[in-house]
Amino acid sequence: AGNIEYWVDEISGKYYSDSTATTEISSSDVTLAKKTAASDHSWGSPVWTWSSTKKSAKVTLTCSVCGKTKTVKATVTCTEGTDYNTYKAVAEYNGKKYTDKQKVEVDKVWEDVVFILKGTATKTTNKLTWTKIPGADGYVIYAAKCGSDTYKKVKTITSGSTTSWTRKNLKANNCYKYYVKAYRLVNGKKTVIKKTYLIHLATKGGKYTNVTKVKITNVTDSKLSLKVGKTKTLKVKTTLAEKNKILRKHMDVLTYTSTDTSIATVSSKGKIKAKKKGTCYIYVRAASGYYAKVKVTVK
């Protein structure tokens, strides 16, 4: 059963299946078609579509009788966890509710975005700058004094386009550490989408200073090509904010990371090992957040 096309002769009142009035049909055929078209649809299983950021979702319903489809926008809520966020979508149509859930690692949606935090210092201030995260509605900054594991929220940035902040009224000759969380709003609630690594900053006024530049000296044009199984150890040079100062021991560390360890790994000493064909980046970062990177192509 389904809809049919028909034509009516306004003079005779007869029904035809074609526009040339050649094939006559009965009024019961027309009545059946009208009845079927007006009857309740029988909706099949819902098909869900989520946005890449999980901020929105919609459900598509298909009638098993006539094939008609109906797409309904859903309301999305998020339950935030330490490592995972659970997104729940609820849509309602014709008095019936449809639900779907997505469980996503906190960093998974933005895994290709490197969230960089770095800082500089004066005697009484620390200036933090970070990379902009696409889709973020704001950022929350956490801080602690070096030697303490108790972090407190020191600033909430309510603009996704703001990428710097200066903390004032600090003590000279002290060391502070920071990290930043990027968030987006889901139905008015802050949901963490990305977190930076930890950085350390020493205020001026004592014998300690910070790194303000990192350079890889044995790679040309920040590019490196290796065959599978081969290795290369990076040589790195750092520049200090004050030449006549030194770094605190816990800050005198370079950290190496790979954006894809299935392609290339890197040791704590900067030794890169090619694992399989592909391209990734190796980052070398100072405690202050300043960094250098090299593009590694494995052949």
Side-chain angles (χ1 to χ4, degrees):
N3 296 330
I4 63 171
E5 277 190 313
Y6 63 91
W7 284 259
V8 180
D9 187 326
E10 295 180 353
I11 298 177
S12 67
K14 292 182 179 182
Y15 296 87
Y16 297 91
S17 64
D18 58 316
S19 60
T20 59
T22 302
T23 305
E24 184 179 350
I25 58 176
S26 68
S27 61
S28 61
D29 293 330
V30 176
T31 302
L32 176 61
K34 289 181 178 179
K35 184 177 180 180
T36 302
S39 64
D40 292 335
H41 293 283
S42 179
W43 300 111
S45 299
V47 176
W48 287 90
T49 304
W50 288 80
S51 66
S52 60
T53 61
K54 309 302 179 185
K55 197 169 185 178
S56 63
K58 59 186 179 182
V59 61
T60 300
L61 308 171
T62 302
C63 178
S64 60
V65 176
C66 68
K68 179 180 179 180
T69 60
K70 178 67 178 179
T71 300
V72 183
K73 285 186 177 181
T75 299
V76 177
T77 57
C78 179
T79 301
E80 185 179 334
T82 303
D83 299 311
Y84 293 87
N85 290 337
T86 301
Y87 298 86
K88 181 180 180 181
V90 179
E92 187 171 348
Y93 183 64
N94 274 356
K96 184 176 180 179
K97 285 187 177 181
Y98 301 87
T99 62
D100 192 41
K101 288 185 178 180
Q102 295 276 307
K103 188 177 181 182
V104 183
E105 289 182 45
V106 171
D107 284 351
K108 189 67 176 178
V109 174
W110 287 264
E111 64 182 348
D112 293 330
V113 180
V114 179
F115 197 8
I116 301 292
L117 172 66
K118 59 185 180 180
T120 56
T122 66
K123 280 188 176 181
T124 58
T125 67
N126 285 161
K127 183 178 180 180
L128 308 178
T129 58
W130 55 88
T131 48
K132 182 179 178 180
I133 299 298
D137 292 311
Y139 307 91
V140 182
I141 302 168
Y142 295 84
K145 288 196 69 174
C146 288
S148 171
D149 291 326
T150 303
Y151 290 86
K152 65 178 182 178
K153 181 167 56 178
V154 293
K155 183 66 176 179
T156 298
I157 307 293
T158 58
S159 169
S161 60
T162 298
T163 57
S164 67
W165 176 71
T166 300
R167 190 182 184 197
K168 301 178 181 179
N169 301 317
L170 300 176
K171 293 183 179 180
N173 192 27
N174 269 264
C175 182
Y176 301 88
K177 50 187 179 180
Y178 301 90
Y179 65 87
V180 176
K181 290 182 177 181
Y183 71 86
R184 61 186 180 84
L185 296 173
V186 178
N187 293 326
K189 180 183 177 182
K190 292 185 180 70
T191 301
V192 176
I193 58 175
K194 195 79 174 175
K195 178 182 174 182
T196 68
Y197 42 72
L198 195 66
I199 69 167
H200 296 253
L201 293 174
T203 51
K204 293 181 178 181
K207 62 181 180 179
Y208 299 111
T209 188
N210 305 296
V211 171
T212 56
K213 186 178 180 180
V214 178
K215 184 179 180 180
I216 300 171
T217 60
N218 63 337
V219 174
T220 304
D221 296 329
S222 299
K223 295 179 182 179
L224 177 64
S225 180
L226 291 173
K227 291 183 178 180
V228 174
K230 296 298 182 179
T231 64
K232 185 177 180 66
T233 300
L234 299 177
K235 294 182 180 180
V236 181
K237 180 181 179 182
T238 59
T239 301
L240 302 182
E242 298 176 278
K243 293 181 179 180
N244 59 333
K245 306 288 183 174
I246 61 174
L247 297 172
R248 284 181 178 266
K249 287 186 178 180
H250 70 280
M251 296 169 61
D252 190 14
V253 176
L254 292 174
T255 302
Y256 296 86
T257 55
S258 169
T259 58
D260 193 333
T261 54
S262 69
I263 295 173
T265 59
V266 62
S267 73
S268 60
K269 300 297 183 181
K271 184 178 181 179
I272 300 171
K273 183 174 182 179
K275 305 289 286 187
K276 72 174 186 180
K277 292 182 179 180
T279 301
C280 67
Y281 287 88
I282 300 297
Y283 282 79
V284 52
R285 173 175 51 84
S288 61
Y290 279 82
Y291 70 95
K293 67 178 180 178
V294 57
K295 181 179 180 181
V296 178
T297 301
V298 179
K299 300 180 178 179

